[in-house]
Amino acid sequence: MAAASAAPGSIFCKQLLFCLLVLILSCDACQKISLQVPSHLQAETLVGKVNLKECFPSTSLILSSDPDFRILEDGSIYTTHDLILSSERKSFSIFPSDGQSQEQKKIEIVLDVKGKKVPKKRHTRDTVLKRSKRRWAPIPCSLMENSLGPFPQHVQQVQSDAAQNYTIFYSISGPGVDKEPFNLFYIDKDTGDIFCTRSIDREQYEQFPLYAYATTADGYAPEYPLPLLFKVEDDNDNAPYFENKVTIFSVPENCRTGTSVGQVTAIDLDEPDTLHTRLKYKILQQIPDHPKHFSIHPDTGVITTTTPLLDREHCDTYKLIMEVRDMGGQPFGLFNTGTITISLEDENDNPPYFTETSYFTEVEENRIDVEILRMAVHDQDLPNTPHSKAVYKILQGNENGNFKISTDPNTNEAVLCVVKPLNYEVNRQVVLQVGVLNEAQFTKAANSKTPTMCTTTVTVKIKDSDEGPECQPPVKVIQSKDGLQVGQELQGYKALDPDTRSSEGLRYKKIGDEDNWFEINEHTGDLRTIKVLDRESKFVKNDQYNVSVVAMDTDGRSCTGTLVVLLEDFNDHPPQIDKDVTICQHDKDYAVLEPVDADGPENGPPFQFFLDNSANKLWNLETKDGKTAILRQRQILDYNYYTVPLIIKDRHGLNAKHMLTVRVCDCTTPSDCKMNMKNVRDVKPNVILGRWAILAMVLGSALLLCVLFACFCVTAKRTVKKCFPDVAQQNLIVSNTEGPGEEVMEANIRLPTQTSNVCDTSMSVGTLGGQGIKTQQSFEMVKGGYTLDSSKGGGHQTLESVKGAGQGVMEAGRYTYTDWHSFTQPRLGEESIRGHTLIKN
């Protein structure tokens, strides 16, 4: 099957769709390469690849002898356009060049056209189908956009060579047939004529890729599907338009000629890179139109300035009516318009200036922090910006700092204030020169001179007033010796009456004296010491002691001054040192001594260190730098506390003796020191006892032994099984004869029937005397005629009868020492006549 004007040779559709297989049939490095390719090659099709590294390590330039092919840096060969190879063999050459040696080599490329045999389709009336020369191929075809017809419009005809032998029916498919847009094309199935049914918009459909089919009556396909490409030719039916209907640009005022303002862009929907989309820009009108300040590049749309005279104060905004036209700006081209707004950015090209050339004001003397004048300025630059905000400065007349000028942020006015009192007696009028600038730096406009600062004069008249005393200077310094004794006078603070310039009639009062060192003379202001002056006092800072004084006139007006007493140092403090020192044996065998002298540097270091003779056996003292010393052990000492007598002198010989307590400890840092008590007990005391002390210790030990022996004897007597309620733990039996007492037998004593302990054997004499005796049994002594019974009455004289009835009832068996004494004393008197017998339990 072929088209109406068949092209020489035929290719198959599937060969165009398949990827090309590159076969290198023979290769002689850098000489000749053979490639197999199909007869029809589309544009940008990979034909093959050459290994250029076989020729040069680095290839900088590759040339081709055939413009139909181009070679990339990696050696890939591509077609530059659609190509139909009519012959079975085609060759061309490429020329790679070395980037270092500039050597060039030639490589011959041979293309072998490879064809495929198409199997013949069987016809019902033939046993074997034979084919003639193939003519089934597409021909270029295009459609005009917006065609006016008539429709249906003939587009192309396709034919198959198989129609010479068979009955062939034609059909097509693709976009415009059975895909969107439907029914745009159709084909005559008998003749192969293709028709278009309506006009086409290229901006919607640029091309239509279709496939044509040839089949026999029984459905066999003697040909492969034929690809058809219908391209829509562009018609200039779209006018260009600006992307933004209104565009805003900005440019500084007074900018140079040729300054770029901005670039406008337009869009044309017609086919790119054609005359239909070749656009030209033009400024139709400038508002305001005089003078002309802007121009536009016709091709790029870049707007630039044409004059340096752009002045925002004259006109701050310009509008440009722009036109864009296609067809290269030809009158018959389509066009559109748009509006460009250009705003001028403000520059500080206008200096501020005062509305008046001079000003006058007045103020009372001694007034401070008072506003005396406001001055307005005018500035043509943009308000409320650094280009128009004013900065004021007093140029002359304020050498004493009496005035201060500032800017009111709301009104931009100058505000003149008095910040330091003015004295009418010194100066009755002050003339100030004031200048004004902007916050932003001034920008010089084109063809203009650099402006100078605008200035004005302000005359300030000072009004007289009756004023109080003056304390000038506010701080007065006097010198005094350190250690000045009580009752010494010092010159005090003197104030003046500004009208009389004298201090007569003024009274002084002390209002500040931290340590109450002085009293003040009310009339003269002189000081008298009431304490000894001490430079080392905590109230003295940098050798200075401050006294505040107030001076008052007869009307009660006052001023305040400060009197600084500068104390000259006196060497009245010997060096002092920390009395407790720790030596950690694991860290170091010495201690660093750092004395402190409360006196000044002239009466302080260098220090001299001396050890007492008693300490030289154990310690060694080394002076380090005049400020410190090192106390070092002469041998390793036991862990203990040691007392080291030490004398330290300052540079003038004033010294003090210190008893330094040194703790030798088993530690690494002093905070970790924990004395080993065992070692402490084992160490020999560092004290030598005298003979009287040893004698006192021996006598004390002997006395202690005697007391212990006596206590032991008494305790042994108390330890018995039976106990009688008597202070001496014994009973006295009265006998009528002076002979030996009658022995008391066990039969004569009625023992208690209870089996419990008869008494508390641990009871002492003190307990008997203070709390009485508690018994748990009843017994009698019948031999002497007296009965001791705490639970019975009867005719016997008992302790109960001795106690008397009026003493109340006590706890059973508990008697005081007085009761026993009253009971036994009358009976002890009979011992002188009859004797007595002591019976021990």
Side-chain angles (χ1 to χ4, degrees):
M1 184 171 67
S5 56
S10 62
I11 64 173
F12 300 100
C13 179
K14 289 186 177 179
Q15 289 177 328
L16 299 175
L17 300 176
F18 291 156
C19 295
L20 300 177
L21 179 62
V22 179
L23 300 176
I24 302 177
L25 299 180
S26 63
C27 178
D28 188 2
C30 297
Q31 293 183 2
K32 184 177 182 180
I33 296 177
S34 297
L35 302 174
Q36 288 189 356
V37 296
S39 60
H40 183 203
L41 298 174
Q42 292 185 346
E44 301 299 328
T45 300
L46 177 63
V47 177
K49 188 173 182 180
V50 180
N51 188 4
L52 298 177
K53 292 184 179 180
E54 296 290 340
C55 300
F56 300 110
S58 61
T59 304
S60 60
L61 179 63
I62 307 172
L63 302 178
S64 174
S65 63
D66 193 338
D68 295 336
F69 302 92
R70 62 185 181 90
I71 297 88
L72 302 183
E73 293 180 356
D74 61 351
S76 300
I77 304 174
Y78 285 87
T79 57
T80 57
H81 55 84
D82 291 348
L83 187 62
I84 298 177
L85 302 178
S86 58
S87 61
E88 295 181 356
R89 192 177 185 87
K90 180 178 176 61
S91 63
F92 64 95
S93 300
I94 62 174
F95 302 93
S97 299
D98 188 7
Q100 299 178 354
S101 62
Q102 303 299 326
E103 181 183 358
Q104 188 180 64
K105 294 185 178 181
K106 176 181 178 182
I107 303 176
E108 183 180 0
I109 306 298
V110 179
L111 302 180
D112 293 332
V113 179
K114 181 182 178 182
K116 291 186 178 180
K117 295 182 178 180
V118 180
K120 187 190 301 183
K121 298 298 181 178
R122 179 181 61 83
H123 197 274
T124 55
R125 63 182 179 218
D126 294 335
T127 305
V128 179
L129 298 179
K130 296 182 180 180
R131 295 200 55 180
S132 61
K133 187 178 181 181
R134 295 172 294 172
R135 299 178 57 200
W136 180 250
I139 62 173
C141 181
S142 61
L143 301 174
M144 190 62 191
E145 179 187 14
N146 302 321
S147 175
L148 299 179
F151 299 103
Q153 184 179 11
H154 184 270
V155 178
Q156 194 181 41
Q157 182 184 22
V158 294
Q159 291 182 349
S160 174
D161 295 341
Q164 299 176 4
N165 303 319
Y166 313 110
T167 300
I168 299 299
F169 297 100
Y170 301 98
S171 61
I172 57 175
S173 67
V177 182
D178 52 1
K179 297 180 181 178
E180 288 285 350
F182 295 102
N183 301 324
L184 180 61
F185 301 101
Y186 70 91
I187 189 171
D188 188 323
K189 69 176 183 176
D190 296 322
T191 63
D193 291 317
I194 301 175
F195 296 92
C196 179
T197 60
R198 57 184 181 273
S199 61
I200 305 171
D201 185 4
R202 191 207 66 84
E203 286 69 42
Q204 188 175 7
Y205 302 102
E206 295 183 0
Q207 61 184 12
F208 295 91
L210 303 179
Y211 283 96
Y213 306 93
T215 58
T216 60
D218 58 355
Y220 287 97
E223 304 283 359
Y224 286 105
L226 177 65
L228 300 175
L229 182 63
F230 294 163
K231 186 177 179 181
V232 181
E233 296 293 339
D234 183 47
D235 181 28
N236 190 20
D237 58 343
N238 291 279
Y241 62 91
F242 291 100
E243 288 186 284
N244 300 311
K245 198 67 178 176
V246 177
T247 305
I248 300 177
F249 294 120
S250 61
V251 65
E253 65 173 330
N254 304 317
C255 61
R256 297 180 179 179
T257 301
T259 301
S260 176
V261 178
Q263 183 180 17
V264 294
T265 55
I267 298 175
D268 195 323
L269 298 178
D270 289 324
E271 186 175 3
D273 302 325
T274 64
L275 194 60
H276 298 163
T277 54
R278 186 177 301 172
L279 307 181
K280 294 291 184 179
Y281 299 93
K282 182 170 63 174
I283 299 177
L284 298 179
Q285 184 182 4
Q286 173 186 300
I287 304 174
D289 60 350
H290 185 76
K292 301 294 183 183
H293 292 297
F294 306 98
S295 64
I296 188 170
H297 193 282
D299 297 324
T300 62
V302 176
I303 302 173
T304 55
T305 59
T306 60
T307 175
L309 302 177
L310 289 172
D311 189 0
R312 191 204 65 85
E313 289 71 36
H314 177 71
C315 179
D316 60 352
T317 303
Y318 291 89
K319 289 187 178 181
L320 303 179
I321 307 300
M322 309 292 298
E323 177 193 87
V324 57
R325 187 184 295 267
D326 60 14
M327 301 301 292
Q330 296 296 326
F332 53 82
L334 302 179
F335 68 93
N336 223 325
T337 60
T339 302
I340 306 298
T341 301
I342 301 176
S343 298
L344 298 186
E345 299 175 354
D346 184 44
E347 294 290 327
N348 189 22
D349 57 342
N350 293 279
Y353 57 89
F354 290 99
T355 56
E356 299 181 19
T357 56
S358 62
Y359 297 86
F360 177 83
T361 185
E362 59 183 9
V363 63
E364 292 184 359
E365 65 173 337
N366 300 319
R367 294 286 303 276
I368 60 172
D369 296 330
V370 58
E371 177 183 322
I372 61 175
L373 182 64
R374 280 180 173 259
M375 296 173 286
V377 295
H378 183 72
D379 197 322
Q380 296 179 355
D381 290 321
L382 190 64
N384 299 321
T385 64
H387 299 157
S388 62
K389 290 183 179 180
V391 177
Y392 301 94
K393 184 178 181 181
I394 300 176
L395 303 177
Q396 293 180 1
N398 192 33
E399 288 76 11
N400 296 326
N402 299 98
F403 301 93
K404 177 184 177 182
I405 194 166
S406 59
T407 305
D408 189 326
N410 298 322
T411 62
N412 207 30
E413 293 177 323
V415 181
L416 183 63
C417 299
V418 177
V419 294
K420 188 177 179 181
L422 295 167
N423 195 338
Y424 174 82
E425 288 74 21
V426 176
N427 200 350
R428 301 184 179 184
Q429 179 177 289
V430 178
V431 179
L432 303 176
Q433 184 181 19
V434 180
V436 61
L437 289 173
N438 292 125
E439 291 183 0
Q441 189 176 1
F442 185 79
T443 302
K444 181 180 178 182
N447 300 325
S448 65
K449 297 180 180 180
T450 301
T452 57
M453 178 187 294
C454 180
T455 61
T456 187
T457 58
V458 179
T459 302
V460 181
K461 181 180 179 181
I462 303 173
K463 299 168 63 177
D464 187 24
S465 63
D466 189 9
E467 50 193 334
E470 291 183 352
C471 293
Q472 293 294 337
V475 178
K476 181 180 179 181
V477 180
I478 62 173
Q479 290 186 346
S480 175
K481 292 183 178 181
D482 183 19
L484 188 66
Q485 298 300 315
V486 177
Q488 302 297 321
E489 289 190 358
L490 296 176
Q491 183 180 3
Y493 191 90
K494 303 295 183 182
L496 295 177
D497 189 334
D499 296 328
T500 62
R501 307 307 297 174
S502 68
S503 59
E504 295 182 2
L506 299 181
R507 292 178 300 167
Y508 298 91
K509 182 179 179 182
K510 183 182 67 173
I511 60 174
D513 185 1
E514 290 184 294
D515 202 21
N516 197 26
W517 283 6
F518 304 98
E519 62 180 5
I520 191 169
N521 188 314
E522 182 180 6
H523 301 287
T524 63
D526 293 335
L527 301 179
R528 179 187 294 271
T529 59
I530 57 177
K531 286 185 178 180
V532 177
L533 306 189
D534 185 8
R535 191 192 69 88
E536 288 73 26
S537 171
K538 65 179 181 180
F539 301 101
V540 176
K541 308 296 182 183
N542 299 325
D543 300 338
Q544 297 179 356
Y545 183 81
N546 297 335
V547 179
S548 298
V549 177
V550 59
M552 296 178 291
D553 60 9
T554 56
D555 296 330
R557 292 169 296 189
S558 64
C559 68
T560 303
T562 301
L563 193 64
V564 178
V565 181
L566 184 61
L567 297 173
E568 299 177 358
D569 186 30
F570 179 72
N571 192 18
D572 55 348
H573 292 84
Q576 300 296 325
I577 193 170
D578 189 3
K579 299 298 180 17
D580 296 324
V581 177
T582 300
I583 296 179
C584 291
Q585 292 282 32
H586 291 292
D587 183 24
K588 51 191 176 182
D589 61 346
Y590 64 90
V592 179
L593 307 182
E594 298 180 358
V596 178
D597 196 327
D599 294 322
E602 296 80 5
N603 298 313
F607 300 119
Q608 293 179 339
F609 302 84
F610 303 94
L611 281 176
D612 192 80
N613 293 332
S614 60
N616 285 329
K617 297 180 180 180
L618 301 180
W619 305 96
N620 181 31
L621 189 63
E622 305 171 5
T623 302
K624 189 174 181 182
D625 53 3
K627 296 182 179 179
T628 60
I630 295 178
L631 182 64
R632 193 184 304 274
Q633 309 173 52
R634 290 186 178 271
Q635 66 265 2
I636 298 177
L637 300 178
D638 295 327
Y639 301 141
N640 203 350
Y641 290 89
Y642 298 88
T643 301
V644 180
L646 180 67
I647 298 175
I648 305 177
K649 295 182 180 180
D650 62 15
R651 64 166 57 192
H652 297 296
L654 184 63
N655 63 81
K657 185 174 183 179
H658 306 278
M659 299 302 294
L660 197 65
T661 301
V662 181
R663 178 175 59 171
V664 180
C665 187
D666 181 12
C667 63
T668 303
T669 59
S671 60
D672 298 335
C673 180
K674 295 181 180 179
M675 297 293 291
N676 190 324
M677 299 307 299
K678 180 179 179 180
N679 293 337
V680 171
R681 288 195 299 266
D682 293 341
V683 297
K684 297 179 181 180
N686 193 24
V687 178
I688 301 175
L689 297 177
R691 55 187 177 180
W692 293 109
I694 296 174
L695 180 60
M697 291 175 62
V698 171
L699 293 177
S701 300
L703 181 60
L704 179 61
L705 291 174
C706 292
V707 173
L708 293 176
F709 182 76
C711 292
F712 175 79
C713 293
V714 174
T715 304
K717 292 180 181 181
R718 307 283 183 190
T719 309
V720 294
K721 294 183 180 179
K722 295 181 181 181
C723 177
F724 296 97
D726 190 5
V727 173
Q729 292 188 352
Q730 51 187 331
N731 295 296
L732 297 177
I733 301 177
V734 180
S735 175
N736 292 329
T737 64
E738 294 182 358
E742 187 174 334
E743 185 177 357
V744 179
M745 304 299 293
E746 293 182 359
N748 296 333
I749 301 175
R750 285 181 291 180
L751 298 175
T753 58
Q754 299 178 0
T755 60
S756 61
N757 295 334
V758 297
C759 68
D760 186 358
T761 60
S762 65
M763 191 172 297
S764 65
V765 176
T767 305
L768 291 172
Q771 296 181 355
I773 301 174
K774 180 178 180 181
T775 60
Q776 297 180 353
Q777 70 280 352
S778 174
F779 58 89
E780 294 180 356
M781 289 187 177
V782 294
K783 182 66 178 177
Y786 296 99
T787 302
L788 298 175
D789 192 349
S790 63
S791 61
K792 294 181 182 182
H796 299 286
Q797 187 178 5
T798 65
L799 286 173
E800 293 293 340
S801 63
V802 176
K803 290 173 60 178
Q807 294 182 2
V809 181
M810 293 180 61
E811 183 182 353
R814 185 177 298 275
Y815 303 98
T816 65
Y817 176 79
T818 305
D819 297 336
W820 282 101
H821 187 271
S822 301
F823 181 76
T824 57
Q825 286 299 321
R827 292 157 183 79
L828 293 175
E830 300 176 0
E831 290 283 334
S832 62
I833 302 173
R834 308 178 202 178
H836 62 274
T837 302
L838 177 63
I839 301 175
K840 297 182 180 179
N841 293 338

